[in-house]
């Protein structure tokens, strides 16, 4: 395993939910990252943000690791879930709630319901 792969593996092993993003959870620097961080923040999902803009090795390494060409990338309990489009769809369909529940990750169900109501 390369050094960067080991670092990524360590991040996703040590945190139930990890968002590889541009910027930080409180100051995203890209609209796609901002959307996913916004959903997680609003739903009160506990997660670790990893700013790929401050680490070029991770920025490339996470794309190779997941075999997914873009940022953001969300991992839940060690599994790659998707980027902005996928997370948006899963949020609106309720699949994200299901996944988090199945994996035992806490979140605010009322907030998740509100997102769907607002987008109905
Ligand atoms: N359709 C993508 C949008 C994300 C995207 O296009 N990200 C681009 C621009 S922020 C990206 O990561 N490009 C490669 C890079 O900047 O390293 C998704 O669903 O996440």
């Amino acid at each position: 395993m390369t050094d960067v792969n080991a670092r990524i593996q360590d991040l996703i092993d040590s945190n139930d939910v990890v968002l590889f993003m541009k910027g930080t959870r409180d100051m995203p620097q890209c609209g796609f990252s901002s959307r996913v961080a916004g959903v997680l923040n609003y739903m009160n999902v506990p997660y670790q943000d990893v700013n790929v803009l401050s680490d070029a090795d991770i920025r490339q390494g996470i794309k190779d690791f997941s075999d997914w060409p873009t940022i953001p990338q969300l991992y839940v309990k060690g599994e790659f879930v998707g980027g902005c489009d996928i997370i948006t769809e899963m949020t609106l369909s309720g699949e994200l709630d299901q996944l988090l529940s199945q994996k035992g990750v806490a979140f605010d169900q009322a907030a998740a319901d509100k997102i769907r109501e607002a987008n109905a």
Side-chain angles (χ1 to χ4, degrees), residues 41-69:
N41 292 347
Y42 190 73
M43 286 173 61
N44 262 320
V45 176
Y47 70 101
Q48 177 64 55
D49 52 341
V50 178
N51 181 4
V52 305
L53 295 180
S54 62
D55 191 323
D57 288 343
I58 294 274
R59 180 174 180 170
Q60 185 54 46
I62 191 60
K63 296 177 202 163
D64 298 335
F65 188 90
S66 316
D67 198 18
W68 187 261

Side-chain angles (χ1 to χ4, degrees), residues 71-92:
I71 311 295
Q73 296 193 16
L74 182 68
Y75 275 79
V76 176
K77 293 265 174 133
E79 271 179 37
F80 175 57
V81 181
C84 178
D85 296 343
I86 289 173
I87 300 307
T88 301
E89 277 175 30
M90 288 179 73
T91 305
L92 297 179

